[in-house]
């Protein structure tokens, strides 16, 4: 296949996600804040990343950790002030990085003035800015579920209609069919773009269009009906024309339930919608590591997008369990496994994303009671399971592995109380392993995970093959459940990546075409002499190696 035809600054970028409420607390109130992000910007800059993705900081009742916005043009007090945010933007730019804001336009908070007006009466001018329906057969308009609750509908006593919400009942969906609503959203986006931000991560963007008639679903539990409905791409093209196309920015869409064919509609370079997307065939649909499935997913997305649009590479974020616990080994091979996963994500086609703490190999957590969790989706599911007769401890155990709180525990800076995150009481408990696993200790170690990320990112910056090179698996290992061996090729440059995603050593029988090749080691996650020639006969548990091949 040909390499990606068009080059752009963001295609060689590395993105670092800051879940600010768990990053660093500057004032001792137990919650991270924008001032805390500013104080720790050098930690991010020193990694070598290009883009800082900031989770929502807009005014919000915080029912869903900022994804329930009550005012798009102010900063929530918990995060700081607009002046602090503006300083964060300046300080990020001063360090040579760009700032990408998280924007939520599928829904608002039920306390947003738009919704307060909308629910005030059936004839209010903003009634049609949200989705209202009459009861059907004395109950909800259809049998749809939301992401967070058994029904996507909530009854409003005052106006005697139901309103629609894809998430919590406090997060009513906007009606994108209303042109006045769309224009107001575009104006809000331009408000931030004119302040100088460098892009948007667009939350739940595949949900904007709703199907005609809201028919009952054959299987309500399969909530794919909430996404990718007719009209979606008309909205995205209009959004691009009215906002993104006027600025030199990057956009990434969170798009659940998309195939590569559908994904290309979002990011096709000839379509004028978004620059890249997050698909969730791995994080939402592969609950634990499955090498063969992972290879198939990567293969399909490469074949579907390469040279036509750009993918994102990630295995964890604020909604998904930390990668080393979920997809790696967070026990005896934690360090090697964290580095292997990093090697894989930074050498596969697409833009790599680093979630805060990933760069020191932070792990998931198991709290002992549901009261210690904050995750609204987990709490609602727990209540539903227990209400249906499940044993409370069994319900808790079943939900712990994929709880969003696994990735939301505070950043572990050092071994002081609360991991150096706060001098107060943290809004969510710190992972108890912080005394042994923290940034200070990692940076002092000769096998530092952080320093390995630095090396990976430096290789990406200095070698176009990582951003633009074609991808090919070596056929000898395509069906291997432990080994992932592939090349990236650009012009006369070929890199070979060999990964042993296993707790056991794995021998490699190299094909004749490679045995005589001139190979040079570029990076390894076990002690090795960079620059050495020759391919290994065996890869140790969770070993990762990058070679140049001539």
């Amino acid at each position: 296949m040909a390499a990606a035809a068009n080059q752009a600054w963001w295609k060689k970028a590395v993105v670092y996600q800051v879940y600010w409420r768990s990053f660093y607390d500057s004032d001792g109130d137990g919650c991270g804040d924008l001032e805390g992000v500013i104080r720790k910007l050098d930690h991010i800059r020193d990694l070598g990343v290009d883009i800082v993705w900031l989770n929502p900081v807009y005014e919000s009742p915080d029912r869903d950790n900022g994804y329930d916005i009550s005012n798009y043009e102010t900063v929530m007090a918990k995060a700081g002030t607009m002046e602090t945010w503006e300083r964060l933007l300046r300080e990020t730019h001063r360090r040579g990085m760009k700032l990408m804001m998280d924007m939520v336009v599928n829904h608002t908070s039920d306390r947003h003035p738009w919704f307060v007006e909308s629910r005030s009466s059936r004839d209010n001018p903003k009634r049609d800015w949200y989705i209202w329906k009459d009861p059907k057969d004395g109950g909800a308009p259809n049998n749809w579920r939301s992401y967070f609750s058994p029904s996507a509908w909530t009854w409003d006593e005052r106006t005697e209609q139901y309103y629609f919400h894809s998430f919590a009942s406090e997060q009513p969906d906007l009606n994108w069919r209303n042109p006045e609503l769309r224009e107001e959203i575009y104006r809000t986006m331009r408000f931030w773009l004119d302040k100088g931000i460098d892009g948007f991560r667009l939350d739940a963007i595949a949900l904007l269009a709703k199907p005609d008639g809201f028919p009952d679903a054959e299987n309500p539990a399969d909530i794919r009906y909430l996404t990718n409905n007719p009209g979606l791409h008309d909205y995205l093209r209009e959004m691009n024309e009215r906002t993104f196309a006027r600025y030199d920015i990057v956009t990434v869409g969170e798009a659940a339930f998309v195939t590569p064919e559908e994904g290309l509609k979002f990011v096709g370079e000839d379509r004028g919608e978004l620059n890249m997307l997050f698909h969730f065939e791995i994080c939402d649909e592969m609950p634990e590591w499955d090498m063969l499935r992972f290879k198939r997913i990567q293969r399909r997305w490469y074949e579907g997008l390469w040279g036509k649009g750009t993918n994102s590479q990630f295995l964890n974020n604020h909604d998904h369990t930390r990668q080393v616990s979920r997809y790696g080994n967070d026990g005896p091979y934690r360090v090697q496994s964290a580095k292997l996963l990093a090697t894989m994500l930074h050498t596969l086609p697409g833009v790599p994303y680093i979630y805060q703490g990933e760069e020191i190999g932070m792990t998931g957590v198991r709290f002992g009671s549901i009261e210690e969790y904050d995750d609204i989706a987990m709490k609602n599911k727990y209540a539903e399971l227990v209400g249906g007769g499940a044993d409370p401890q069994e319900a808790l155990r079943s939900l712990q592995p994929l709880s969003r709180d696994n990735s939301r525990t505070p950043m572990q800076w050092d071994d002081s109380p609360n991991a150096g995150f706060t001098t107060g009481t943290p809004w969510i408990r710190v992972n108890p392993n912080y005394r042994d696993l923290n940034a200070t200790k990692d940076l002092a170690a000769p096998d530092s995970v952080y320093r390995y990320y630095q090396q990976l990112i430096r290789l990406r910056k200095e070698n176009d093959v990582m951003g633009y090179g074609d991808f090919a698996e070596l056929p000898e290992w395509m069906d291997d459940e432990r080994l992932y061996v592939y090349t990236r090729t650009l012009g006369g440059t070929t890199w070979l990546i060999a990964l042993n995603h296993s707790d056991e050593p794995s021998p490699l029988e190299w094909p004749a075409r490679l045995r005589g090749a001139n190979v040079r080691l570029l990076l390894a996650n076990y002690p090795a002499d960079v620059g050495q020639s020759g391919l290994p006969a065996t890869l140790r548990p969770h070993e990762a190696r990058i070679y140049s091949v001539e």
Side-chain angles (χ1 to χ4, degrees):
M1 289 190 181
N6 299 318
Q7 298 199 1
W9 63 265
W10 45 266
K11 288 185 181 179
K12 280 192 67 178
V14 175
V15 185
Y16 186 96
Q17 181 187 354
V18 174
Y19 193 68
W20 54 268
R21 69 188 61 228
S22 294
F23 197 57
Y24 185 69
D25 172 22
S26 71
D27 58 10
D29 67 355
C31 183
D33 46 48
L34 295 177
E35 178 63 39
V37 179
I38 294 171
R39 293 186 191 179
K40 295 294 187 179
L41 275 177
D42 288 349
H43 171 89
I44 304 172
R45 178 203 60 193
D46 291 349
L47 267 179
V49 303
D50 308 276
I51 302 171
V52 177
W53 157 23
L54 188 68
N55 282 99
V57 297
Y58 318 99
E59 187 176 319
S60 168
D62 231 15
R63 174 68 174 157
D64 186 27
N65 291 18
Y67 284 88
D68 49 327
I69 298 171
S70 55
N71 187 324
Y72 282 101
E73 296 178 15
T74 57
V75 172
M76 75 166 79
K78 190 180 292 187
T81 64
M82 183 64 81
E83 289 72 25
T84 309
W85 178 88
E86 288 170 345
R87 190 156 51 85
L88 170 62
L89 179 66
R90 290 195 302 272
E91 292 296 322
T92 302
H93 285 167
R94 189 170 68 81
R95 289 166 173 80
M97 299 182 293
K98 297 179 183 293
L99 186 66
M100 181 165 72
M101 295 283 280
D102 208 325
M103 177 58 76
V104 188
V105 294
N106 174 71
H107 51 270
T108 68
S109 165
D110 61 351
R111 299 188 197 177
H112 195 295
W114 299 345
F115 188 72
V116 173
E117 282 192 53
S118 183
R119 78 186 309 177
S120 65
S121 70
R122 288 200 184 196
D123 58 1
N124 185 276
K126 286 192 172 60
R127 183 68 168 184
D128 193 44
W129 283 34
Y130 295 83
I131 298 167
W132 296 91
K133 298 288 181 187
D134 290 324
K136 188 176 84 173
D137 301 326
N142 66 22
N143 64 355
W144 292 6
R145 287 185 62 99
S146 83
Y147 275 87
F148 291 172
S149 57
S151 176
W153 300 94
T154 291
W155 177 249
D156 180 65
E157 290 282 355
R158 178 185 296 179
T159 59
E160 297 186 322
Q161 279 189 315
Y162 284 89
Y163 67 84
F164 179 76
H165 50 91
S166 297
F167 296 91
S169 59
E170 296 89 348
Q171 294 168 290
D173 279 33
L174 292 162
N175 178 19
W176 271 76
R177 295 189 183 203
N178 186 305
E180 289 182 358
L181 174 276
R182 297 202 304 275
E183 281 303 317
E184 185 61 14
I185 290 290
Y186 304 152
R187 188 196 62 76
T188 293
M189 288 178 163
R190 293 192 298 270
F191 169 84
W192 292 99
L193 290 166
D194 288 342
K195 283 183 173 291
I197 69 167
D198 304 290
F200 285 118
R201 178 264 188 188
L202 297 157
D203 182 71
I205 201 66
L207 279 70
L208 300 189
K210 317 301 183 189
D212 289 336
F214 290 81
D216 276 348
E218 188 174 329
N219 177 14
D222 183 354
I223 57 174
R224 293 171 191 270
Y225 48 78
L226 295 177
T227 64
N228 303 302
N229 287 301
L232 171 63
H233 296 285
D234 295 330
Y235 297 148
L236 292 181
R237 280 191 293 275
E238 180 183 81
M239 185 187 297
N240 184 299
E241 291 168 5
R242 303 283 288 126
T243 57
F244 313 145
R246 305 178 183 190
Y247 305 83
D248 180 21
I249 62 167
V250 61
T251 54
V252 56
E254 182 192 37
F257 305 126
V258 293
T259 61
E261 295 73 26
E262 183 71 28
L264 188 59
K265 296 177 185 176
F266 288 84
V267 300
E269 294 181 0
D270 59 344
R271 289 180 57 83
E273 296 186 22
L274 307 177
N275 296 134
M276 51 182 158
L277 84 161
F278 298 131
H279 73 79
F280 293 92
E281 281 197 47
I282 300 165
C283 284
D284 277 355
E285 301 174 37
M286 197 177 92
E288 55 193 27
W289 186 253
D290 182 335
M291 176 64 90
L292 297 183
R293 185 174 181 180
F294 183 81
K295 287 178 179 178
R296 287 194 298 270
I297 292 169
Q298 291 293 333
R299 210 174 290 147
R300 287 174 49 247
W301 279 89
Y302 174 71
E303 291 167 356
L305 263 58
W306 194 248
K308 295 172 279 190
T310 302
N311 198 5
S312 302
Q313 292 289 353
F314 69 102
L315 288 177
N316 54 185
N317 58 27
H318 64 291
D319 282 334
H320 296 95
T321 299
R322 290 194 171 277
Q323 62 184 26
V324 74
S325 291
R326 184 179 181 186
Y327 292 137
N329 180 317
D330 64 3
Y333 296 111
R334 181 187 65 84
V335 170
Q336 294 89 343
S337 180
K339 293 177 182 179
L340 178 142
L341 293 169
T343 307
M344 185 170 67
L345 292 187
H346 286 249
T347 57
L348 285 168
V351 173
Y353 284 69
I354 299 169
Y355 178 65
Q356 66 183 46
E358 176 189 318
E359 75 280 10
I360 60 170
M362 278 179 62
T363 67
V365 71
R366 296 288 189 275
F367 293 144
S369 70
I370 191 65
E371 287 73 28
E372 293 177 279
Y373 284 89
D374 179 79
D375 178 4
I376 184 175
M378 179 190 185
K379 284 177 171 286
N380 286 354
K381 186 64 177 175
Y382 176 86
E384 185 181 351
L385 289 172
V386 173
D391 175 75
Q393 281 304 112
E394 281 300 315
L396 179 64
R397 275 194 292 271
S398 72
L399 296 171
Q400 282 174 329
L402 300 184
S403 169
R404 298 187 299 175
D405 287 345
N406 280 294
S407 55
R408 296 180 177 186
T409 58
M411 181 71 181
Q412 294 163 212
W413 293 107
D414 56 41
D415 63 3
S416 66
N418 298 319
F421 163 70
T422 180
T423 57
T425 301
W427 72 275
I428 186 173
R429 280 188 60 199
V430 176
N431 191 322
N433 67 8
Y434 74 87
R435 291 180 181 85
D436 296 316
L437 200 175
N438 57 69
T440 301
K441 188 168 184 176
D442 181 72
L443 277 163
D447 61 347
S448 167
V449 178
Y450 182 94
R451 298 204 190 286
Y452 189 84
Y453 269 83
Q454 286 179 316
Q455 292 173 288
L456 265 178
I457 294 169
R458 192 177 306 120
L459 281 176
R460 184 176 182 85
K461 285 185 182 301
E462 295 173 357
N463 298 274
D464 283 349
V465 67
M466 282 179 76
Y468 296 110
D470 291 347
F471 165 80
E473 292 176 74
L474 270 64
E476 291 82 1
W477 292 284
M478 285 181 76
D479 298 321
D480 195 294
E481 295 183 351
R482 294 180 174 183
L483 293 166
Y484 199 12
V485 187
Y486 52 89
T487 58
R488 300 294 303 275
T489 303
L490 182 66
T493 301
T494 295
W495 283 14
L496 171 71
I497 296 89
L499 312 171
N500 176 25
H501 197 298
S502 163
D503 292 346
E504 305 297 329
S506 292
L508 296 101
E509 184 125 1
W510 295 99
R513 68 183 184 280
L514 281 173
R515 284 200 294 268
N518 180 16
V519 299
R520 182 170 56 89
L521 183 65
L522 299 175
L523 187 63
N525 68 339
Y526 276 79
D529 294 326
V530 171
Q532 72 183 40
S533 60
L535 294 167
T538 300
L539 286 180
R540 288 162 285 188
H542 299 278
E543 184 163 13
R545 289 184 168 226
I546 304 175
Y547 288 91
S548 68
V549 181
E550 295 176 6

